Amino acid sequence: MKSNPATFFVFLLFCSTLLHAQTVLNYIESSQGLGTPALEGGRTELELADVNGDGHLDILSIGDHGSPFINTQEHGVMVWFGDGQGSWSVFQYGNFGYGGIAVGDVNNDGFLDVGYGMHHDYSANDLGDQLIEVALGDGTGTFWSPWDDGLATNGESWGMFGTDFADIDNDGDLDIAANSFGASSGVHVYANQGDGTWVQTFGFTGGNSTDDIVFGEVNNDGCPDFAAAHQFGTVYINDGGGGFTLADGNLPPGGNIGRRGPDLGDLDNDGRDELSFCNGSGGVEVWKWQPGNNWVKISTGLPASGGFEASQIYDMDMDGFADLAAFGSGVVRIWKGDGAGNWAQMANFTMPATSGDFKAFRIEGDADHNGFPDIALVDEEGNWLNYQNHLRFYKEASPADTLRILPLSPGANRFWHTGSVQTLRWISEVPAGEIGRVKLEISLHDLQGPWLLMADSLPNNGHFQWIAPQNYASQQPCRIRYSVFTSSGSASVTGAGFSIGPVTVGIVPPGETGLPGGIELFQNYPNPFNPSTYLGFRIADGSTSLTTGFGLVRLEIFDITGRKIATLVEGELPPGEYQIQWDGRDESGREAASGIYFAVLRSNGVQVSRKLALAR
């Protein structure tokens, strides 16, 4: 009998979930070589990435207060090259330091680059003389060249720190955001112009900070948002062009230093990221954003108080649901997530000195290829008379005895813009002694294919940066197939459904639509969908009132009986292009049942409709 690929895929997911439902995570320190150079004290930031393309994760930083050459030998971009077993060797380049770092390919040449915000910017040359910089890599991890004109030119007068990359304007290159060190210099976002110059699209000065910043996707409109540990607020929503609006809504007060150690990650696989942070009592909280800028606390089982200062959202047991890790006061603790906001502790370990205060905390990828993610951190041990930072790496201790690969990103129901830069992520277990290579393929028609090659023979390092082609828009869920190969065998898995589409967020200026008179309603995506979908429409000049220049527009949802379920838009709109999300609920806030629905757009006597399929 011919097998059904969809049924087989569900069976694979069931087996994977069953296999890992009772996973016990154990961590062992694997820090050989990380004592060089000796660190000093104060905050820093770490990244995990394969900067030399050998298939093994490396650790990157620009150091703590001792960089450059302050009571230590720290300086410049520091790369601790990994050997895949948990041993490390350092290489340093440049005469600057003390701050945060981000890693990504900013000029799309295939080599990873770095961006950083820093406090000690007194280098005598172009590399290290600005508070925010980007430096290009050459694929070796041992040479970096400045690519930073226009950065740190908008009030950054004292010190910058936490840094992250994302394509904020969906134009095919990575942009940069940085949060200040302590007080005064604020938060700043700069757009990449593609030629080594940068232009600020958002920013402010003033206020206190606890350094961290991270990009994510809070409302799943395909435009990266961010969370920052800053006094003025935490979560900022992207307007689609690189501007951001504070969206803290009803979150509890962050105080005069902001919410500590924030992270963004999708816990329930609905395509929208949740927010984690450590509260003023050292407890850990997770909150879920909802349309209308309303936040719901989903922290059942998490400690309300303690000594935690940083959080990370990551699927630690690889069961398909993100988990939560936190670090502080010499302790790392991990809670298993069930996708519904309930948490149960599944692992914890302590530093050699339990006084070890948080100075950096990073989870990203699998250094030893055993199929489970690992942890890098910096803890400060001792008291104020003799404190010292220590860089430590903890790998999950399960043996690598099976060949398998599991997807991390894109997650279920995610939406990506055509033309945008995205990073695919995976975790792969490769039996000890073997070397894996990875192939990535995409289907624009759910599981039916055809499967289009994205990349082949990639290093098995868990990440691949990709620009979504303009012709890849799909009215069906897209799927990515991940395959790992060794000399003795291969293994494949198909990821969850997500969407790729062209969307203009906001309003196209009147006269620039190029449309004849009338209105146009685009097919929703994803379709079928669960729990939410996006609808785009255009209003052309011919549909507007001659007296006001605006047209009365209604966008409504009806079921197959003709009963109105929800009103998404009702009001006068100028000519332009718009996007709206339907969350699959009726006007009373209740979830609509699975079935066929119709989106109907009306303006000045013209009506168009599209069929929607809700599959819960």
PDB file of all heavy atoms in Angstrom, residues 196-220:
ATOM      1  N   GLY A 196      28.778  49.304   3.243  1.00  0.00           N
ATOM      2  CA  GLY A 196      29.621  49.665   4.376  1.00  0.00           C
ATOM      3  C   GLY A 196      29.168  50.903   5.100  1.00  0.00           C
ATOM      4  O   GLY A 196      29.833  51.343   6.038  1.00  0.00           O
ATOM      5  N   THR A 197      28.034  51.476   4.684  1.00  0.00           N
ATOM      6  CA  THR A 197      27.474  52.623   5.388  1.00  0.00           C
ATOM      7  C   THR A 197      26.160  52.225   6.044  1.00  0.00           C
ATOM      8  O   THR A 197      25.474  51.306   5.593  1.00  0.00           O
ATOM      9  CB  THR A 197      27.237  53.809   4.441  1.00  0.00           C
ATOM     10  OG1 THR A 197      26.252  53.444   3.460  1.00  0.00           O
ATOM     11  CG2 THR A 197      28.530  54.201   3.738  1.00  0.00           C
ATOM     12  N   TRP A 198      25.805  52.967   7.096  1.00  0.00           N
ATOM     13  CA  TRP A 198      24.636  52.642   7.905  1.00  0.00           C
ATOM     14  C   TRP A 198      23.864  53.922   8.226  1.00  0.00           C
ATOM     15  O   TRP A 198      24.461  54.981   8.425  1.00  0.00           O
ATOM     16  CB  TRP A 198      25.078  51.964   9.211  1.00  0.00           C
ATOM     17  CG  TRP A 198      25.902  50.725   8.999  1.00  0.00           C
ATOM     18  CD1 TRP A 198      27.225  50.671   8.633  1.00  0.00           C
ATOM     19  CD2 TRP A 198      25.458  49.375   9.093  1.00  0.00           C
ATOM     20  NE1 TRP A 198      27.628  49.370   8.510  1.00  0.00           N
ATOM     21  CE2 TRP A 198      26.572  48.547   8.788  1.00  0.00           C
ATOM     22  CE3 TRP A 198      24.247  48.776   9.415  1.00  0.00           C
ATOM     23  CZ2 TRP A 198      26.494  47.157   8.796  1.00  0.00           C
ATOM     24  CZ3 TRP A 198      24.163  47.389   9.429  1.00  0.00           C
ATOM     25  CH2 TRP A 198      25.272  46.600   9.118  1.00  0.00           C
ATOM     26  N   VAL A 199      22.540  53.805   8.298  1.00  0.00           N
ATOM     27  CA  VAL A 199      21.676  54.941   8.583  1.00  0.00           C
ATOM     28  C   VAL A 199      20.737  54.571   9.723  1.00  0.00           C
ATOM     29  O   VAL A 199      20.081  53.527   9.679  1.00  0.00           O
ATOM     30  CB  VAL A 199      20.859  55.350   7.341  1.00  0.00           C
ATOM     31  CG1 VAL A 199      19.865  56.459   7.695  1.00  0.00           C
ATOM     32  CG2 VAL A 199      21.773  55.798   6.214  1.00  0.00           C
ATOM     33  N   GLN A 200      20.668  55.434  10.732  1.00  0.00           N
ATOM     34  CA  GLN A 200      19.775  55.138  11.854  1.00  0.00           C
ATOM     35  C   GLN A 200      18.323  55.241  11.422  1.00  0.00           C
ATOM     36  O   GLN A 200      17.923  56.198  10.775  1.00  0.00           O
ATOM     37  CB  GLN A 200      20.033  56.087  13.021  1.00  0.00           C
ATOM     38  CG  GLN A 200      19.086  55.830  14.200  1.00  0.00           C
ATOM     39  CD  GLN A 200      19.506  56.500  15.483  1.00  0.00           C
ATOM     40  OE1 GLN A 200      20.413  56.039  16.161  1.00  0.00           O
ATOM     41  NE2 GLN A 200      18.848  57.591  15.806  1.00  0.00           N
ATOM     42  N   THR A 201      17.528  54.225  11.791  1.00  0.00           N
ATOM     43  CA  THR A 201      16.091  54.235  11.527  1.00  0.00           C
ATOM     44  C   THR A 201      15.272  54.423  12.798  1.00  0.00           C
ATOM     45  O   THR A 201      14.081  54.746  12.726  1.00  0.00           O
ATOM     46  CB  THR A 201      15.639  52.928  10.857  1.00  0.00           C
ATOM     47  OG1 THR A 201      15.842  51.826  11.761  1.00  0.00           O
ATOM     48  CG2 THR A 201      16.421  52.681   9.578  1.00  0.00           C
ATOM     49  N   PHE A 202      15.900  54.193  13.935  1.00  0.00           N
ATOM     50  CA  PHE A 202      15.207  54.334  15.218  1.00  0.00           C
ATOM     51  C   PHE A 202      16.258  54.494  16.306  1.00  0.00           C
ATOM     52  O   PHE A 202      17.343  53.910  16.222  1.00  0.00           O
ATOM     53  CB  PHE A 202      14.347  53.102  15.518  1.00  0.00           C
ATOM     54  CG  PHE A 202      13.739  53.102  16.898  1.00  0.00           C
ATOM     55  CD1 PHE A 202      12.603  53.832  17.173  1.00  0.00           C
ATOM     56  CD2 PHE A 202      14.322  52.383  17.933  1.00  0.00           C
ATOM     57  CE1 PHE A 202      12.039  53.838  18.449  1.00  0.00           C
ATOM     58  CE2 PHE A 202      13.769  52.384  19.206  1.00  0.00           C
ATOM     59  CZ  PHE A 202      12.629  53.122  19.464  1.00  0.00           C
ATOM     60  N   GLY A 203      15.921  55.265  17.333  1.00  0.00           N
ATOM     61  CA  GLY A 203      16.839  55.370  18.458  1.00  0.00           C
ATOM     62  C   GLY A 203      16.431  56.454  19.435  1.00  0.00           C
ATOM     63  O   GLY A 203      15.614  57.325  19.123  1.00  0.00           O
ATOM     64  N   PHE A 204      16.994  56.353  20.614  1.00  0.00           N
ATOM     65  CA  PHE A 204      16.791  57.380  21.636  1.00  0.00           C
ATOM     66  C   PHE A 204      17.971  57.328  22.597  1.00  0.00           C
ATOM     67  O   PHE A 204      18.712  56.345  22.667  1.00  0.00           O
ATOM     68  CB  PHE A 204      15.477  57.168  22.390  1.00  0.00           C
ATOM     69  CG  PHE A 204      15.333  55.823  23.057  1.00  0.00           C
ATOM     70  CD1 PHE A 204      15.919  55.564  24.291  1.00  0.00           C
ATOM     71  CD2 PHE A 204      14.594  54.821  22.457  1.00  0.00           C
ATOM     72  CE1 PHE A 204      15.784  54.323  24.908  1.00  0.00           C
ATOM     73  CE2 PHE A 204      14.449  53.585  23.060  1.00  0.00           C
ATOM     74  CZ  PHE A 204      15.045  53.335  24.291  1.00  0.00           C
ATOM     75  N   THR A 205      18.171  58.397  23.334  1.00  0.00           N
ATOM     76  CA  THR A 205      19.212  58.455  24.354  1.00  0.00           C
ATOM     77  C   THR A 205      18.562  58.615  25.720  1.00  0.00           C
ATOM     78  O   THR A 205      17.372  58.899  25.840  1.00  0.00           O
ATOM     79  CB  THR A 205      20.177  59.621  24.086  1.00  0.00           C
ATOM     80  OG1 THR A 205      19.422  60.848  24.054  1.00  0.00           O
ATOM     81  CG2 THR A 205      20.903  59.444  22.772  1.00  0.00           C
ATOM     82  N   GLY A 206      19.392  58.429  26.768  1.00  0.00           N
ATOM     83  CA  GLY A 206      18.913  58.588  28.127  1.00  0.00           C
ATOM     84  C   GLY A 206      18.449  57.287  28.741  1.00  0.00           C
ATOM     85  O   GLY A 206      18.291  56.271  28.061  1.00  0.00           O
ATOM     86  N   GLY A 207      18.203  57.309  30.051  1.00  0.00           N
ATOM     87  CA  GLY A 207      17.696  56.149  30.764  1.00  0.00           C
ATOM     88  C   GLY A 207      18.768  55.166  31.162  1.00  0.00           C
ATOM     89  O   GLY A 207      19.871  55.149  30.597  1.00  0.00           O
ATOM     90  N   ASN A 208      18.452  54.340  32.139  1.00  0.00           N
ATOM     91  CA  ASN A 208      19.361  53.287  32.588  1.00  0.00           C
ATOM     92  C   ASN A 208      19.114  51.993  31.812  1.00  0.00           C
ATOM     93  O   ASN A 208      18.067  51.812  31.192  1.00  0.00           O
ATOM     94  CB  ASN A 208      19.187  53.025  34.079  1.00  0.00           C
ATOM     95  CG  ASN A 208      19.736  54.153  34.923  1.00  0.00           C
ATOM     96  OD1 ASN A 208      20.789  54.697  34.628  1.00  0.00           O
ATOM     97  ND2 ASN A 208      19.007  54.527  35.971  1.00  0.00           N
ATOM     98  N   SER A 209      20.077  51.076  31.907  1.00  0.00           N
ATOM     99  CA  SER A 209      20.006  49.847  31.131  1.00  0.00           C
ATOM    100  C   SER A 209      20.755  48.740  31.853  1.00  0.00           C
ATOM    101  O   SER A 209      21.684  49.004  32.619  1.00  0.00           O
ATOM    102  CB  SER A 209      20.620  50.072  29.743  1.00  0.00           C
ATOM    103  OG  SER A 209      20.863  48.851  29.089  1.00  0.00           O
ATOM    104  N   THR A 210      20.349  47.494  31.570  1.00  0.00           N
ATOM    105  CA  THR A 210      21.168  46.342  31.978  1.00  0.00           C
ATOM    106  C   THR A 210      21.677  45.605  30.745  1.00  0.00           C
ATOM    107  O   THR A 210      21.813  44.394  30.732  1.00  0.00           O
ATOM    108  CB  THR A 210      20.384  45.395  32.905  1.00  0.00           C
ATOM    109  OG1 THR A 210      19.118  45.089  32.321  1.00  0.00           O
ATOM    110  CG2 THR A 210      20.166  46.023  34.258  1.00  0.00           C
ATOM    111  N   ASP A 211      21.932  46.374  29.680  1.00  0.00           N
ATOM    112  CA  ASP A 211      22.819  45.998  28.568  1.00  0.00           C
ATOM    113  C   ASP A 211      22.207  45.165  27.444  1.00  0.00           C
ATOM    114  O   ASP A 211      22.616  45.311  26.299  1.00  0.00           O
ATOM    115  CB  ASP A 211      24.068  45.256  29.071  1.00  0.00           C
ATOM    116  CG  ASP A 211      24.817  46.001  30.148  1.00  0.00           C
ATOM    117  OD1 ASP A 211      24.662  47.239  30.229  1.00  0.00           O
ATOM    118  OD2 ASP A 211      25.539  45.371  30.931  1.00  0.00           O
ATOM    119  N   ASP A 212      21.294  44.235  27.719  1.00  0.00           N
ATOM    120  CA  ASP A 212      20.931  43.228  26.721  1.00  0.00           C
ATOM    121  C   ASP A 212      19.923  43.746  25.694  1.00  0.00           C
ATOM    122  O   ASP A 212      19.086  44.601  25.986  1.00  0.00           O
ATOM    123  CB  ASP A 212      20.349  41.991  27.410  1.00  0.00           C
ATOM    124  CG  ASP A 212      21.355  41.345  28.337  1.00  0.00           C
ATOM    125  OD1 ASP A 212      22.412  40.925  27.853  1.00  0.00           O
ATOM    126  OD2 ASP A 212      21.086  41.271  29.557  1.00  0.00           O
ATOM    127  N   ILE A 213      19.977  43.164  24.480  1.00  0.00           N
ATOM    128  CA  ILE A 213      19.003  43.425  23.432  1.00  0.00           C
ATOM    129  C   ILE A 213      18.943  42.198  22.538  1.00  0.00           C
ATOM    130  O   ILE A 213      19.961  41.541  22.296  1.00  0.00           O
ATOM    131  CB  ILE A 213      19.362  44.696  22.635  1.00  0.00           C
ATOM    132  CG1 ILE A 213      18.197  45.126  21.733  1.00  0.00           C
ATOM    133  CG2 ILE A 213      20.643  44.499  21.825  1.00  0.00           C
ATOM    134  CD1 ILE A 213      18.366  46.523  21.157  1.00  0.00           C
ATOM    135  N   VAL A 214      17.746  41.867  22.055  1.00  0.00           N
ATOM    136  CA  VAL A 214      17.594  40.682  21.205  1.00  0.00           C
ATOM    137  C   VAL A 214      16.452  40.910  20.223  1.00  0.00           C
ATOM    138  O   VAL A 214      15.406  41.456  20.581  1.00  0.00           O
ATOM    139  CB  VAL A 214      17.329  39.422  22.057  1.00  0.00           C
ATOM    140  CG1 VAL A 214      16.063  39.561  22.892  1.00  0.00           C
ATOM    141  CG2 VAL A 214      17.275  38.171  21.192  1.00  0.00           C
ATOM    142  N   PHE A 215      16.666  40.532  18.959  1.00  0.00           N
ATOM    143  CA  PHE A 215      15.598  40.577  17.965  1.00  0.00           C
ATOM    144  C   PHE A 215      14.732  39.321  18.076  1.00  0.00           C
ATOM    145  O   PHE A 215      15.199  38.247  18.471  1.00  0.00           O
ATOM    146  CB  PHE A 215      16.178  40.655  16.549  1.00  0.00           C
ATOM    147  CG  PHE A 215      16.568  42.043  16.130  1.00  0.00           C
ATOM    148  CD1 PHE A 215      17.895  42.367  15.910  1.00  0.00           C
ATOM    149  CD2 PHE A 215      15.603  43.022  15.934  1.00  0.00           C
ATOM    150  CE1 PHE A 215      18.269  43.639  15.503  1.00  0.00           C
ATOM    151  CE2 PHE A 215      15.962  44.304  15.535  1.00  0.00           C
ATOM    152  CZ  PHE A 215      17.295  44.609  15.320  1.00  0.00           C
ATOM    153  N   GLY A 216      13.478  39.454  17.672  1.00  0.00           N
ATOM    154  CA  GLY A 216      12.547  38.339  17.625  1.00  0.00           C
ATOM    155  C   GLY A 216      11.372  38.713  16.753  1.00  0.00           C
ATOM    156  O   GLY A 216      11.436  39.666  15.962  1.00  0.00           O
ATOM    157  N   GLU A 217      10.270  37.982  16.891  1.00  0.00           N
ATOM    158  CA  GLU A 217       9.085  38.203  16.060  1.00  0.00           C
ATOM    159  C   GLU A 217       7.848  38.093  16.941  1.00  0.00           C
ATOM    160  O   GLU A 217       7.304  37.005  17.142  1.00  0.00           O
ATOM    161  CB  GLU A 217       9.058  37.186  14.926  1.00  0.00           C
ATOM    162  CG  GLU A 217       7.916  37.354  13.957  1.00  0.00           C
ATOM    163  CD  GLU A 217       7.817  38.745  13.380  1.00  0.00           C
ATOM    164  OE1 GLU A 217       7.235  39.605  14.067  1.00  0.00           O
ATOM    165  OE2 GLU A 217       8.306  38.977  12.263  1.00  0.00           O
ATOM    166  N   VAL A 218       7.415  39.232  17.493  1.00  0.00           N
ATOM    167  CA  VAL A 218       6.354  39.233  18.491  1.00  0.00           C
ATOM    168  C   VAL A 218       4.972  39.080  17.861  1.00  0.00           C
ATOM    169  O   VAL A 218       4.121  38.358  18.385  1.00  0.00           O
ATOM    170  CB  VAL A 218       6.423  40.522  19.341  1.00  0.00           C
ATOM    171  CG1 VAL A 218       5.240  40.616  20.301  1.00  0.00           C
ATOM    172  CG2 VAL A 218       7.739  40.569  20.117  1.00  0.00           C
ATOM    173  N   ASN A 219       4.723  39.742  16.729  1.00  0.00           N
ATOM    174  CA  ASN A 219       3.383  39.706  16.126  1.00  0.00           C
ATOM    175  C   ASN A 219       3.331  38.941  14.806  1.00  0.00           C
ATOM    176  O   ASN A 219       2.290  38.905  14.153  1.00  0.00           O
ATOM    177  CB  ASN A 219       2.850  41.123  15.920  1.00  0.00           C
ATOM    178  CG  ASN A 219       3.755  41.953  15.019  1.00  0.00           C
ATOM    179  OD1 ASN A 219       4.860  41.530  14.648  1.00  0.00           O
ATOM    180  ND2 ASN A 219       3.309  43.146  14.680  1.00  0.00           N
ATOM    181  N   ASN A 220       4.454  38.331  14.408  1.00  0.00           N
ATOM    182  CA  ASN A 220       4.518  37.456  13.233  1.00  0.00           C
ATOM    183  C   ASN A 220       4.045  38.136  11.954  1.00  0.00           C
ATOM    184  O   ASN A 220       3.352  37.537  11.130  1.00  0.00           O
ATOM    185  CB  ASN A 220       3.724  36.172  13.454  1.00  0.00           C
ATOM    186  CG  ASN A 220       4.153  35.066  12.484  1.00  0.00           C
ATOM    187  OD1 ASN A 220       5.263  35.068  11.978  1.00  0.00           O
ATOM    188  ND2 ASN A 220       3.258  34.121  12.227  1.00  0.00           N
TER     189      ASN A 220
END
